[in-house]
PDB file of all heavy atoms in Angstrom:
ATOM      1  N   ASP A   5     151.233 146.356  99.493  1.00  0.00           N
ATOM      2  CA  ASP A   5     151.910 145.992 100.728  1.00  0.00           C
ATOM      3  C   ASP A   5     150.873 145.511 101.719  1.00  0.00           C
ATOM      4  O   ASP A   5     149.773 146.129 101.839  1.00  0.00           O
ATOM      5  CB  ASP A   5     152.712 147.156 101.322  1.00  0.00           C
ATOM      6  CG  ASP A   5     153.473 146.803 102.555  1.00  0.00           C
ATOM      7  OD1 ASP A   5     154.161 145.751 102.524  1.00  0.00           O
ATOM      8  OD2 ASP A   5     153.376 147.529 103.548  1.00  0.00           O
ATOM      9  N   MET A   6     151.141 144.433 102.433  1.00  0.00           N
ATOM     10  CA  MET A   6     150.230 143.894 103.446  1.00  0.00           C
ATOM     11  C   MET A   6     150.922 144.090 104.792  1.00  0.00           C
ATOM     12  O   MET A   6     152.109 143.943 104.929  1.00  0.00           O
ATOM     13  CB  MET A   6     150.028 142.407 103.251  1.00  0.00           C
ATOM     14  CG  MET A   6     149.480 141.994 101.884  1.00  0.00           C
ATOM     15  SD  MET A   6     147.898 142.707 101.504  1.00  0.00           S
ATOM     16  CE  MET A   6     148.352 143.726 100.077  1.00  0.00           C
ATOM     17  N   SER A   7     150.084 144.411 105.776  1.00  0.00           N
ATOM     18  CA  SER A   7     150.660 144.542 107.139  1.00  0.00           C
ATOM     19  C   SER A   7     149.573 144.139 108.163  1.00  0.00           C
ATOM     20  O   SER A   7     148.407 144.088 107.889  1.00  0.00           O
ATOM     21  CB  SER A   7     151.116 145.996 107.364  1.00  0.00           C
ATOM     22  OG  SER A   7     150.055 146.889 107.252  1.00  0.00           O
ATOM     23  N   GLN A  13     144.294 143.500 112.995  1.00  0.00           N
ATOM     24  CA  GLN A  13     144.137 144.688 112.190  1.00  0.00           C
ATOM     25  C   GLN A  13     144.872 144.553 110.804  1.00  0.00           C
ATOM     26  O   GLN A  13     145.627 145.420 110.445  1.00  0.00           O
ATOM     27  CB  GLN A  13     144.598 145.938 112.919  1.00  0.00           C
ATOM     28  CG  GLN A  13     143.895 146.195 114.195  1.00  0.00           C
ATOM     29  CD  GLN A  13     144.481 147.331 114.969  1.00  0.00           C
ATOM     30  OE1 GLN A  13     145.698 147.594 114.962  1.00  0.00           O
ATOM     31  NE2 GLN A  13     143.622 148.051 115.662  1.00  0.00           N
ATOM     32  N   PRO A  14     144.552 143.467 110.065  1.00  0.00           N
ATOM     33  CA  PRO A  14     145.235 143.295 108.785  1.00  0.00           C
ATOM     34  C   PRO A  14     144.857 144.424 107.798  1.00  0.00           C
ATOM     35  O   PRO A  14     143.678 144.789 107.723  1.00  0.00           O
ATOM     36  CB  PRO A  14     144.779 141.950 108.311  1.00  0.00           C
ATOM     37  CG  PRO A  14     143.525 141.685 109.007  1.00  0.00           C
ATOM     38  CD  PRO A  14     143.614 142.403 110.355  1.00  0.00           C
ATOM     39  N   THR A  15     145.818 144.967 107.108  1.00  0.00           N
ATOM     40  CA  THR A  15     145.590 146.033 106.225  1.00  0.00           C
ATOM     41  C   THR A  15     146.436 145.853 104.933  1.00  0.00           C
ATOM     42  O   THR A  15     147.534 145.367 105.040  1.00  0.00           O
ATOM     43  CB  THR A  15     146.016 147.404 106.872  1.00  0.00           C
ATOM     44  OG1 THR A  15     145.332 147.532 108.094  1.00  0.00           O
ATOM     45  CG2 THR A  15     145.737 148.579 106.000  1.00  0.00           C
ATOM     46  N   GLY A  16     145.843 146.236 103.834  1.00  0.00           N
ATOM     47  CA  GLY A  16     146.612 146.240 102.589  1.00  0.00           C
ATOM     48  C   GLY A  16     146.616 147.666 102.040  1.00  0.00           C
ATOM     49  O   GLY A  16     145.707 148.444 102.234  1.00  0.00           O
ATOM     50  N   SER A  17     147.690 148.002 101.380  1.00  0.00           N
ATOM     51  CA  SER A  17     147.804 149.317 100.732  1.00  0.00           C
ATOM     52  C   SER A  17     148.262 149.228  99.286  1.00  0.00           C
ATOM     53  O   SER A  17     148.954 148.269  98.955  1.00  0.00           O
ATOM     54  CB  SER A  17     148.767 150.210 101.535  1.00  0.00           C
ATOM     55  OG  SER A  17     150.029 149.691 101.541  1.00  0.00           O
ATOM     56  N   LEU A  18     147.757 150.166  98.489  1.00  0.00           N
ATOM     57  CA  LEU A  18     148.119 150.210  97.106  1.00  0.00           C
ATOM     58  C   LEU A  18     148.728 151.564  96.793  1.00  0.00           C
ATOM     59  O   LEU A  18     148.156 152.592  97.139  1.00  0.00           O
ATOM     60  CB  LEU A  18     146.813 150.055  96.233  1.00  0.00           C
ATOM     61  CG  LEU A  18     146.878 150.511  94.776  1.00  0.00           C
ATOM     62  CD1 LEU A  18     147.855 149.600  94.016  1.00  0.00           C
ATOM     63  CD2 LEU A  18     145.489 150.402  94.188  1.00  0.00           C
ATOM     64  N   ARG A  32     145.465 153.891  97.873  1.00  0.00           N
ATOM     65  CA  ARG A  32     144.313 153.262  98.490  1.00  0.00           C
ATOM     66  C   ARG A  32     144.770 152.367  99.679  1.00  0.00           C
ATOM     67  O   ARG A  32     145.846 151.813  99.623  1.00  0.00           O
ATOM     68  CB  ARG A  32     143.575 152.366  97.485  1.00  0.00           C
ATOM     69  CG  ARG A  32     143.146 153.021  96.204  1.00  0.00           C
ATOM     70  CD  ARG A  32     141.919 153.856  96.379  1.00  0.00           C
ATOM     71  NE  ARG A  32     141.361 154.309  95.160  1.00  0.00           N
ATOM     72  CZ  ARG A  32     141.632 155.509  94.598  1.00  0.00           C
ATOM     73  NH1 ARG A  32     142.458 156.339  95.228  1.00  0.00           N
ATOM     74  NH2 ARG A  32     141.076 155.867  93.469  1.00  0.00           N
ATOM     75  N   THR A  33     143.886 152.271 100.658  1.00  0.00           N
ATOM     76  CA  THR A  33     144.105 151.323 101.739  1.00  0.00           C
ATOM     77  C   THR A  33     142.881 150.431 101.803  1.00  0.00           C
ATOM     78  O   THR A  33     141.781 150.815 101.481  1.00  0.00           O
ATOM     79  CB  THR A  33     144.314 151.990 103.122  1.00  0.00           C
ATOM     80  OG1 THR A  33     143.159 152.796 103.428  1.00  0.00           O
ATOM     81  CG2 THR A  33     145.554 152.857 103.101  1.00  0.00           C
ATOM     82  N   PHE A  34     143.102 149.198 102.251  1.00  0.00           N
ATOM     83  CA  PHE A  34     142.026 148.221 102.369  1.00  0.00           C
ATOM     84  C   PHE A  34     142.088 147.547 103.713  1.00  0.00           C
ATOM     85  O   PHE A  34     143.121 147.071 104.094  1.00  0.00           O
ATOM     86  CB  PHE A  34     142.274 147.117 101.305  1.00  0.00           C
ATOM     87  CG  PHE A  34     142.276 147.551  99.880  1.00  0.00           C
ATOM     88  CD1 PHE A  34     143.464 148.062  99.303  1.00  0.00           C
ATOM     89  CD2 PHE A  34     141.134 147.508  99.070  1.00  0.00           C
ATOM     90  CE1 PHE A  34     143.508 148.504  97.999  1.00  0.00           C
ATOM     91  CE2 PHE A  34     141.153 147.927  97.762  1.00  0.00           C
ATOM     92  CZ  PHE A  34     142.335 148.421  97.192  1.00  0.00           C
ATOM     93  N   GLY A  35     140.937 147.563 104.404  1.00  0.00           N
ATOM     94  CA  GLY A  35     140.813 146.767 105.616  1.00  0.00           C
ATOM     95  C   GLY A  35     140.625 145.342 105.201  1.00  0.00           C
ATOM     96  O   GLY A  35     139.627 145.019 104.531  1.00  0.00           O
ATOM     97  N   VAL A  36     141.533 144.470 105.533  1.00  0.00           N
ATOM     98  CA  VAL A  36     141.482 143.061 105.039  1.00  0.00           C
ATOM     99  C   VAL A  36     140.543 142.285 105.948  1.00  0.00           C
ATOM    100  O   VAL A  36     140.617 142.352 107.194  1.00  0.00           O
ATOM    101  CB  VAL A  36     142.895 142.484 105.020  1.00  0.00           C
ATOM    102  CG1 VAL A  36     142.832 140.997 104.623  1.00  0.00           C
ATOM    103  CG2 VAL A  36     143.775 143.275 104.088  1.00  0.00           C
ATOM    104  N   LYS A  37     139.691 141.499 105.362  1.00  0.00           N
ATOM    105  CA  LYS A  37     138.700 140.718 106.089  1.00  0.00           C
ATOM    106  C   LYS A  37     139.253 139.353 106.485  1.00  0.00           C
ATOM    107  O   LYS A  37     138.752 138.675 107.373  1.00  0.00           O
ATOM    108  CB  LYS A  37     137.453 140.526 105.267  1.00  0.00           C
ATOM    109  CG  LYS A  37     136.746 141.910 104.968  1.00  0.00           C
ATOM    110  CD  LYS A  37     135.659 141.802 103.963  1.00  0.00           C
ATOM    111  CE  LYS A  37     135.177 143.176 103.610  1.00  0.00           C
ATOM    112  NZ  LYS A  37     134.339 143.197 102.452  1.00  0.00           N
ATOM    113  N   TYR A  38     140.299 138.890 105.729  1.00  0.00           N
ATOM    114  CA  TYR A  38     140.915 137.564 106.006  1.00  0.00           C
ATOM    115  C   TYR A  38     141.444 137.549 107.410  1.00  0.00           C
ATOM    116  O   TYR A  38     142.127 138.491 107.873  1.00  0.00           O
ATOM    117  CB  TYR A  38     142.023 137.281 105.001  1.00  0.00           C
ATOM    118  CG  TYR A  38     142.770 135.991 105.303  1.00  0.00           C
ATOM    119  CD1 TYR A  38     142.229 134.774 104.886  1.00  0.00           C
ATOM    120  CD2 TYR A  38     143.993 135.999 105.936  1.00  0.00           C
ATOM    121  CE1 TYR A  38     142.875 133.615 105.162  1.00  0.00           C
ATOM    122  CE2 TYR A  38     144.635 134.818 106.222  1.00  0.00           C
ATOM    123  CZ  TYR A  38     144.082 133.601 105.801  1.00  0.00           C
ATOM    124  OH  TYR A  38     144.744 132.466 106.093  1.00  0.00           O
ATOM    125  N   GLU A  39     141.124 136.490 108.178  1.00  0.00           N
ATOM    126  CA  GLU A  39     141.599 136.385 109.532  1.00  0.00           C
ATOM    127  C   GLU A  39     142.740 135.408 109.543  1.00  0.00           C
ATOM    128  O   GLU A  39     142.571 134.256 109.179  1.00  0.00           O
ATOM    129  CB  GLU A  39     140.494 135.904 110.471  1.00  0.00           C
ATOM    130  CG  GLU A  39     139.376 136.956 110.600  1.00  0.00           C
ATOM    131  CD  GLU A  39     138.306 136.509 111.571  1.00  0.00           C
ATOM    132  OE1 GLU A  39     138.507 135.527 112.284  1.00  0.00           O
ATOM    133  OE2 GLU A  39     137.248 137.152 111.596  1.00  0.00           O
ATOM    134  N   MET A  46     145.955 137.583 102.055  1.00  0.00           N
ATOM    135  CA  MET A  46     145.571 138.969 102.158  1.00  0.00           C
ATOM    136  C   MET A  46     145.800 139.671 100.794  1.00  0.00           C
ATOM    137  O   MET A  46     144.958 140.463 100.391  1.00  0.00           O
ATOM    138  CB  MET A  46     146.401 139.642 103.227  1.00  0.00           C
ATOM    139  CG  MET A  46     146.058 139.153 104.643  1.00  0.00           C
ATOM    140  SD  MET A  46     146.764 139.951 106.083  1.00  0.00           S
ATOM    141  CE  MET A  46     148.246 140.686 105.554  1.00  0.00           C
ATOM    142  N   GLU A  49     142.949 138.845  98.434  1.00  0.00           N
ATOM    143  CA  GLU A  49     141.725 139.593  98.717  1.00  0.00           C
ATOM    144  C   GLU A  49     141.845 141.034  98.254  1.00  0.00           C
ATOM    145  O   GLU A  49     140.958 141.576  97.615  1.00  0.00           O
ATOM    146  CB  GLU A  49     141.504 139.563 100.258  1.00  0.00           C
ATOM    147  CG  GLU A  49     140.273 140.396 100.609  1.00  0.00           C
ATOM    148  CD  GLU A  49     140.060 140.463 102.114  1.00  0.00           C
ATOM    149  OE1 GLU A  49     140.410 139.510 102.842  1.00  0.00           O
ATOM    150  OE2 GLU A  49     139.498 141.468 102.584  1.00  0.00           O
ATOM    151  N   VAL A  50     142.971 141.702  98.544  1.00  0.00           N
ATOM    152  CA  VAL A  50     143.137 143.098  98.169  1.00  0.00           C
ATOM    153  C   VAL A  50     143.117 143.266  96.624  1.00  0.00           C
ATOM    154  O   VAL A  50     142.443 144.157  96.140  1.00  0.00           O
ATOM    155  CB  VAL A  50     144.466 143.651  98.742  1.00  0.00           C
ATOM    156  CG1 VAL A  50     144.822 144.992  98.174  1.00  0.00           C
ATOM    157  CG2 VAL A  50     144.326 143.777 100.254  1.00  0.00           C
ATOM    158  N   ARG A  53     139.563 142.820  95.306  1.00  0.00           N
ATOM    159  CA  ARG A  53     138.760 143.987  95.633  1.00  0.00           C
ATOM    160  C   ARG A  53     139.129 145.188  94.766  1.00  0.00           C
ATOM    161  O   ARG A  53     138.305 145.963  94.335  1.00  0.00           O
ATOM    162  CB  ARG A  53     138.874 144.319  97.122  1.00  0.00           C
ATOM    163  CG  ARG A  53     138.122 143.264  97.988  1.00  0.00           C
ATOM    164  CD  ARG A  53     138.366 143.424  99.468  1.00  0.00           C
ATOM    165  NE  ARG A  53     138.007 144.752  99.929  1.00  0.00           N
ATOM    166  CZ  ARG A  53     138.353 145.232 101.145  1.00  0.00           C
ATOM    167  NH1 ARG A  53     139.054 144.453 101.941  1.00  0.00           N
ATOM    168  NH2 ARG A  53     138.003 146.408 101.531  1.00  0.00           N
ATOM    169  N   TRP A  60     138.191 152.885  88.937  1.00  0.00           N
ATOM    170  CA  TRP A  60     139.615 153.149  89.148  1.00  0.00           C
ATOM    171  C   TRP A  60     140.393 152.827  87.856  1.00  0.00           C
ATOM    172  O   TRP A  60     140.152 151.806  87.186  1.00  0.00           O
ATOM    173  CB  TRP A  60     140.188 152.291  90.273  1.00  0.00           C
ATOM    174  CG  TRP A  60     139.635 152.668  91.650  1.00  0.00           C
ATOM    175  CD1 TRP A  60     138.760 153.655  91.932  1.00  0.00           C
ATOM    176  CD2 TRP A  60     139.869 151.952  92.827  1.00  0.00           C
ATOM    177  NE1 TRP A  60     138.448 153.626  93.255  1.00  0.00           N
ATOM    178  CE2 TRP A  60     139.127 152.619  93.845  1.00  0.00           C
ATOM    179  CE3 TRP A  60     140.614 150.875  93.153  1.00  0.00           C
ATOM    180  CZ2 TRP A  60     139.095 152.188  95.198  1.00  0.00           C
ATOM    181  CZ3 TRP A  60     140.621 150.445  94.502  1.00  0.00           C
ATOM    182  CH2 TRP A  60     139.890 151.121  95.457  1.00  0.00           C
TER     183      TRP A  60
END
Side-chain angles (χ1 to χ4, degrees):
D5 183 48
M6 303 300 117
S7 61
Q13 301 174 328
T15 304
S17 60
L18 163 63
R32 304 283 188 265
T33 59
F34 300 85
V36 177
K37 299 170 187 167
Y38 176 79
E39 294 182 12
M46 293 186 336
E49 177 184 329
V50 168
R53 289 172 56 193
W60 294 355

